[in-house]
């Protein structure tokens, strides 16, 4: 690990961490807590995806919808208006909207072929954004003068790595640059995430083999064709399975770093609190 001992961590002139885990457990909250100190550079993977790697596709998708409206089409064709994506660290809706959900077009869904194409584009974009981590860590220091760095990852990071392989190229790149920190939720956290998702189902990125399996199972179990699938019903049905699928992958990734919990994040009020929390994890070998 980048910081083998608590002493190494506490005395480091530069602290660099990467947080990962299920969406909704506190990664962005923790990143924001550190960012407002003025000493930490916050590198958001989803923000990088939406502004650098999928920015044009996201805007083009919005333009395609606008072009269906004659009034807006005329304005776009004469360059009288323009469409842009207003992505922020706290609002990544343009990325999710572009990713979409599979199912009936009448219910706002995408054909599975198009959905799978977007899933693959997102996979490549997320891997590229993760591989940009060393660049942004250097840039944070040399360009902006930040001493410390936090990489805020998306929930799907575990889908693109093989944590059991000590030579996994992406994990090696990330672990050589940052201390990997898993935010581990328990069963109660998982059930709350499922309830929250059920109230407002959101698009997700899936490992291709997993997506192919659950799509086939959903069609058979519900005796429906692709054109009849309710997009929200499908992603609700899939969500708990996705969490179960990801949990052992996160756990394997945790061997590359340390583990904290949402309950430990909640009481944090300062950078010093966070530094001490990670030091304790290093001391106890967690």
């Amino acid at each position: 690990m980048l910081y083998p001992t608590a002493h190494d961590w506490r005395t480091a002139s530069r602290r660099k961490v990467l947080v990962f885990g299920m969406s909704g457990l506190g990664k962005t909250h923790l990143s924001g807590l550190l960012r407002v100190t003025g000493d930490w550079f916050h590198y958001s993977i989803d923000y990088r995806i939406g502004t650098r790697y999928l920015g044009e596709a996201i805007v083009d998708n919005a333009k395609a919808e606008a072009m269906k409206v004659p009034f807006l089409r005329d304005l776009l064709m004469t360059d009288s208006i323009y469409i842009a994506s207003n992505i922020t660290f706290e609002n990544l809706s343009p990325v999710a909207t572009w990713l979409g959900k599979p199912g009936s077009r009448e219910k706002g869904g995408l054909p599975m072929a198009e959905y799978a194409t977007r899933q693959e584009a997102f996979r490549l974009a997320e891997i590229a954004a993760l591989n940009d981590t060393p660049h942004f860590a250097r840039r944070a220091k040399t360009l902006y003068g930040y001493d410390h760095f936090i990489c805020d990852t998306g929930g799907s990071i575990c889908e693109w790595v093989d944590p059991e392989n000590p030579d996994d190229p992406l994990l090696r790149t990330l672990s050589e640059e940052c201390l990997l920190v898993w935010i581990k939720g328990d069963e109660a956290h998982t059930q709350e995430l499922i309830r929250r998702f059920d109230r407002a189902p959101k698009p997700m990125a899936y490992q291709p083999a997993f997506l192919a399996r659950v799509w086939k199972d959903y069609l058979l179990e519900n005796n429906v064709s692709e054109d009849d699938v309710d997009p929200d019903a499908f992603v609700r049905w899939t969500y708990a399975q996705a969490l179960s699928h990801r949990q052992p992958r996160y756990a394997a990734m945790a061997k590359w770093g340390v583990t904290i919990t949402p309950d430990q994040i909640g009481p944090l009020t300062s950078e010093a609190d966070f530094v001490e929390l990670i030091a304790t994890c290093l001391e106890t070998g967690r």
Side-chain angles (χ1 to χ4, degrees), residues 95-256:
V95 180
T97 300
W98 172 83
L99 193 57
K101 307 168 190 174
S104 167
R105 280 193 177 277
E106 293 181 357
K107 297 179 180 179
L110 293 168
M112 176 49 75
E114 172 62 20
Y115 182 71
T117 296
R118 295 191 186 193
Q119 285 277 317
E120 176 62 10
F122 184 90
R123 182 185 73 85
L124 296 175
E126 184 163 25
I127 292 172
L130 288 163
N131 275 316
D132 285 343
T133 300
H135 166 70
F136 274 89
R138 289 190 298 271
R139 190 167 179 247
K141 179 63 176 177
T142 59
L143 183 59
Y144 299 114
Y146 284 96
D147 288 328
H148 310 302
F149 176 86
I150 182 166
C151 177
D152 172 11
T153 69
S156 51
I157 181 176
C158 65
E159 304 284 20
W160 325 131
V161 298
D162 178 6
E164 302 293 352
N165 177 9
D167 293 317
D168 181 85
L170 184 52
L171 279 177
R172 284 186 65 87
T173 294
L174 297 174
S175 63
E176 288 172 0
E177 190 64 41
C178 300
L179 174 66
L180 272 57
V181 179
W182 178 28
I183 302 179
K184 178 184 179 182
D186 59 20
E187 183 59 27
H189 294 121
T190 300
Q191 292 306 313
E192 175 56 29
L193 290 178
I194 291 172
R195 285 191 292 271
R196 193 185 306 170
F197 190 88
D198 190 59
R199 290 194 296 270
K202 300 176 182 178
M204 285 183 63
Y206 306 102
Q207 192 180 74
F210 172 83
L211 175 61
R213 176 177 63 79
V214 295
W215 182 248
K216 179 181 178 181
D217 290 348
Y218 185 86
L219 296 180
L220 289 173
E221 185 174 314
N222 293 276
N223 192 29
V224 293
S225 68
E226 292 190 6
D227 294 337
D228 294 326
V229 170
D230 182 311
D232 283 347
F234 171 74
V235 295
R236 283 191 178 101
W237 183 85
T238 303
Y239 186 68
Q241 298 181 65
L243 295 189
S244 178
H245 160 77
R246 288 179 176 181
Q247 193 71 1
R249 301 183 68 83
Y250 290 138
M253 286 178 63
K255 299 173 185 176
W256 292 68

Side-chain angles (χ1 to χ4, degrees), residues 75-94:
L75 292 174
L76 283 171
M77 293 298 290
T78 58
D79 291 327
S80 300
I81 63 171
Y82 70 91
I83 293 176
S85 173
N86 188 26
I87 293 177
T88 67
F89 290 158
E90 288 75 26
N91 178 21
L92 298 162
S93 296

Side-chain angles (χ1 to χ4, degrees), residues 32-93:
L33 174 69
L34 296 175
R35 184 177 71 243
V36 298
T37 67
D39 294 325
W40 287 75
F41 184 93
H42 176 192
Y43 176 50
S44 166
I45 294 298
D46 284 338
Y47 182 83
R48 176 68 169 167
I49 291 170
T51 55
R52 169 64 176 85
Y53 292 106
L54 293 179
E56 185 174 315
I58 290 168
V59 172
D60 283 352
N61 184 55
K63 287 180 178 178
E65 292 300 315
M67 289 288 283
K68 298 175 184 178
V69 181
F71 173 73
L72 295 177
R73 184 183 188 280
D74 290 343
L75 292 174
L76 283 171
M77 293 298 290
T78 58
D79 291 327
S80 300
I81 63 171
Y82 70 91
I83 293 176
S85 173
N86 188 26
I87 293 177
T88 67
F89 290 158
E90 288 75 26
N91 178 21
L92 298 162
S93 296

Side-chain angles (χ1 to χ4, degrees), residues 1-18 40 137 147-150 174-181 256-258 274-275 278-283 285-286:
M1 288 190 289
L2 191 61
Y3 310 99
T5 69
H7 175 75
D8 293 326
W9 166 256
R10 285 191 178 103
T11 59
S13 59
R14 290 201 72 199
R15 300 188 185 97
K16 297 180 291 181
V17 298
L18 177 148
W40 287 75
D147 288 328
H148 310 302
F149 176 86
I150 182 166
L174 297 174
S175 63
E176 288 172 0
E177 190 64 41
C178 300
L179 174 66
L180 272 57
V181 179
W256 292 68
V258 299
F274 173 72
V275 170
I278 298 301
T280 300
C281 292
L282 290 168
E283 284 174 338
R286 290 185 55 196

